[in-house]
Amino acid sequence: MKQISFIHAADLHLDSPMVGLKHLPANILSRVRESTFTALRKLIAAAIDHNVDFVILAGDLYDGEDRSLRAQSRFRNEMQKLSQKDIPVYVIHGNHDHLSGSWVNLDMPPNVHFFGSDVEMKEFHTKRGETVHLYGFSYIQRHILDKRIADYQKQDPADFHIGILHGNEGGRTDHDNYAPFSIKDLLEKEFDYWALGHIHKRTILSETPPIIYPGNLQGRNRKEEGVKGCYLVTLNELEAKTEFVETSDVWWEEVTVDAASAQSFQEILQLCQLTIERLRKAGIGTLLTLNLKNVQFEDFQEKKILDTELLELLLDYENDEESFVWIVNLNLEEKQHFDRKKLMNEADFYTELFATIGDYQNPEEAIAPLYQHQLGRKYLTGLTESEQKELLEKAEKLLIGLLYQ
């Protein structure tokens, strides 16, 4: 029976600057900034350990169009490891590392095959005699807004047909709508596998045939939570098998802890420590956003200590931990005793306030100056609907709390 195996990865974002983390201790910051390269090494090790026929990288190898020499050099070293094992690599470039960028080029080993700006087919023959046709294209510029799926045309004869596409499915609003397509578009091509890139959340759009976003190799901010990695894929004439392979060295996590039962600073501290130990993973670093809700103290001195010293105590021993859990955001939400109906009965002002909040639909207007700033425009992304809702809820609680005082 004819069979092939390969690794499918995407969105490596090598040498990502990890913006906003300069406050971390030097050793943890160094590990976080090295994490995209660590993830790449894990990918290559998996490919060699499983003796795959080839590797597919579905766009955004590099974090920027300048393709830093450091990123290119590290990538080339890993490709040489695959070359020594006679494992070819098929690469498309996405919107972040498009072909019109400006960079000093480092030549890659001959086992690395890049797709050009037009959809093309590359033929591969396994050592056992199977023929594979791989189809794909690289972004000629950052913004590819037109549908390119019509350019993918199945070319026989081949034992297996694999499409590689860096694009947005179904008009998702959480990512830029580059090279848009629908699941129906892909199914109509009658390929055996679709290797997708661009969406950083691991998603299986179809199982027969497999249409998969593997997500990125390494989370880079709090929006990219949890384990990250790639897929080990085995195709034969009867079925497809997919196995997720973990590659991330640092995980981002967000946890909300209800502190309503805690009556003292000591109990709050213990609650946080238990949460940290529950999240600790052997050999993995964790960057944690910890939300404490329903915090309540009648003792002013304990409240002052909570505001100033809790985080320091929680981080005290994490600096030397290989499996660190480092709190990058600690949010304290005091237990609110506000009753909307009661407040509205107290004063007409509250009725008008709640009505205004209910009618306010676009918080991005309020933070528009951030996006207009040169640095903000470069690093900030648009708010999703859930993030806008969360921002409004936090603003409401903060405003009512200040007024109620």
Side-chain angles (χ1 to χ4, degrees), residues 282-309:
I284 299 294
T286 300
L287 298 176
L288 175 64
T289 294
L290 179 58
N291 304 311
L292 287 177
K293 69 176 184 178
N294 294 324
V295 178
Q296 52 185 335
F297 288 115
E298 295 184 6
D299 187 301
F300 176 78
Q301 187 62 32
E302 281 201 336
K303 182 179 185 302
K304 183 178 179 182
I305 293 174
L306 182 70
D307 288 338
T308 58
E309 299 186 32

Side-chain angles (χ1 to χ4, degrees), residues 122-249:
K122 293 186 181 296
E123 186 171 271
F124 168 68
H125 298 280
T126 70
K127 299 170 185 176
R128 300 174 303 278
E130 293 92 349
T131 300
V132 184
H133 285 178
L134 300 101
Y135 309 79
F137 77 95
S138 292
Y139 280 41
I140 185 63
Q141 58 193 20
R142 182 176 180 86
H143 304 291
I144 300 292
L145 302 178
D146 56 318
K147 296 185 71 170
R148 300 293 299 272
I149 190 61
D151 298 333
Y152 287 75
Q153 298 297 328
K154 190 174 184 180
Q155 300 180 37
D156 283 317
D159 298 305
F160 300 96
H161 299 266
I162 298 175
I164 311 172
L165 176 59
H166 192 88
N168 195 40
E169 179 270 329
R172 292 167 178 249
T173 58
D174 53 344
H175 279 71
D176 293 315
N177 199 31
Y178 296 146
F181 65 90
S182 68
I183 296 176
K184 181 174 179 290
D185 292 332
L186 304 191
L187 293 176
E188 289 176 348
K189 298 300 175 180
E190 297 184 345
F191 286 2
D192 299 292
Y193 186 92
W194 277 97
L196 304 179
H198 183 51
I199 304 300
H200 290 188
K201 183 177 181 179
R202 175 165 38 118
T203 308
I204 297 178
L205 299 179
S206 168
E207 293 186 354
T208 308
I211 302 175
I212 295 178
Y213 283 114
N216 50 341
L217 280 189
Q218 168 62 55
R220 301 169 303 141
N221 54 60
R222 59 179 292 192
K223 293 182 181 180
E224 299 176 350
E225 289 183 348
V227 62
K228 297 292 183 177
C230 57
Y231 273 93
L232 170 65
V233 183
T234 303
L235 301 179
N236 61 41
E237 297 166 295
L238 299 178
E239 61 180 351
K241 294 181 179 180
T242 59
E243 177 186 344
F244 183 69
V245 178
E246 298 182 9
T247 59
S248 46
D249 184 51

Side-chain angles (χ1 to χ4, degrees), residues 263-269 297 302 305-306 309-310 313:
Q263 300 299 316
S264 66
F265 177 84
Q266 177 66 29
E267 291 181 3
I268 287 280
L269 178 62
F297 288 115
E302 281 201 336
I305 293 174
L306 182 70
E309 299 186 32
L310 176 61
L313 286 174

Side-chain angles (χ1 to χ4, degrees), residues 325-371:
V325 179
W326 191 269
I327 299 174
V328 291
N329 290 296
L330 177 62
N331 302 313
L332 304 177
E333 179 185 318
E334 290 191 61
K335 187 172 184 178
Q336 302 291 341
H337 303 282
F338 305 127
D339 185 318
R340 275 195 171 217
K341 290 184 178 180
K342 183 179 178 181
L343 290 175
M344 291 166 67
N345 288 331
E346 286 182 4
D348 292 339
F349 170 78
Y350 285 110
T351 302
E352 296 177 12
L353 174 63
F354 293 136
T356 301
I357 293 173
D359 292 337
Y360 193 76
Q361 299 297 325
N362 189 10
E364 287 191 331
E365 290 181 0
I367 58 175
L370 291 175
Y371 292 90

